[in-house]
Amino acid sequence: MARRVVVALLGPVSWSPPGVDRAEWRAALAEDVIDLFATLNEVEVAVAVTPADRALADALVWPGTAVYEVAEPTPNAVFAALDGYDQAAVLSADVPDLPALTVGKLLRPLTTRSVAVAPVEGGGPGLLGVAVRLPVPEWLPPLDLDTATPADARAGAPAPGDVAVTAGWRRQRGPADLAALDPAFEGWEATRALLSGSGRPT
């Protein structure tokens, strides 16, 4: 069986709900994503941060979870830091209500494809995550989860079909995303608790 790792990339956040501290918001989102990843089967789980955010990662991870320090918060930097894996997926940490199945769908195409990307639901720039067979194909360009698109990932591929586009999900990057959080959906306890404390409905 292929050795696979799913990495939560704790990049910066550019927005938080009114009345919610930006650092606390970022930590709550990341905590929920890390807790979700801990429930996944047949994958190892890790977290990646820049050195400045190491304390944040250490405060959130489960015992034994690997933390990778990377020079920049990009999937490519994370892939370069990994060793010993056959497949890897790097996902944004601002998706507190992400369904576990969406992570599985991102990894599934790697049985036949070199790269898979999950877009941000609803369109617009940015990716939910990127998965690759390791070592990373030389043709994969640098990708930023906040600005890249599936077309960017395919730009250097020998054939467009070498990059699979899988199911997306919404990232928490603005009021519309916040409004889409489903109170009936299980999980996202840290985010839910933070929003309750701010007086916002959850």
Side-chain angles (χ1 to χ4, degrees):
M1 181 179 295
R3 188 180 179 202
R4 303 184 294 178
V5 63
V6 175
V7 185
L9 179 56
L10 276 56
V13 296
S14 59
W15 173 87
S16 63
V20 176
D21 178 79
R22 183 80 55 91
E24 292 182 1
W25 175 245
R26 180 189 186 196
L29 297 175
E31 180 177 353
D32 285 335
V33 171
I34 292 169
D35 286 352
L36 166 70
F37 286 2
T39 69
L40 300 175
N41 297 320
E42 300 179 355
V43 299
E44 296 179 45
V45 176
V47 170
V49 290
T50 60
D53 288 325
R54 179 62 189 249
L56 172 64
D58 289 341
L60 297 177
V61 297
W62 291 77
T65 302
V67 177
Y68 293 93
E69 291 187 13
V70 292
E72 57 182 13
T74 65
N76 304 70
V78 177
F79 295 143
L82 299 175
D83 184 45
Y85 294 101
D86 302 300
Q87 300 175 4
V90 176
L91 290 97
S92 175
D94 56 3
V95 283
D97 60 339
L98 179 69
L101 284 174
T102 303
V103 183
K105 290 177 180 178
L106 180 60
L107 286 164
R108 191 170 301 130
L110 297 183
T111 56
T112 58
R113 313 283 186 90
S114 300
V115 177
V117 296
V120 175
E121 191 177 73
L127 297 170
L128 165 65
V130 181
V132 300
R133 289 202 306 237
L134 297 171
V136 179
E138 293 183 0
W139 50 259
L140 185 68
L143 299 173
D144 185 321
L145 291 181
D146 289 335
T147 59
T149 66
D152 294 329
R154 286 174 163 163
D162 291 334
V163 178
V165 179
T166 67
W169 197 252
R170 57 185 175 271
R171 293 174 53 185
Q172 289 297 315
R173 299 195 291 183
D177 303 309
L178 181 66
L181 281 171
D182 184 354
F185 190 86
E186 291 185 3
W188 60 283
E189 282 86 357
T191 303
R192 195 188 308 263
L194 183 60
L195 291 173
S196 296
S198 74
R200 299 188 64 88
T202 50

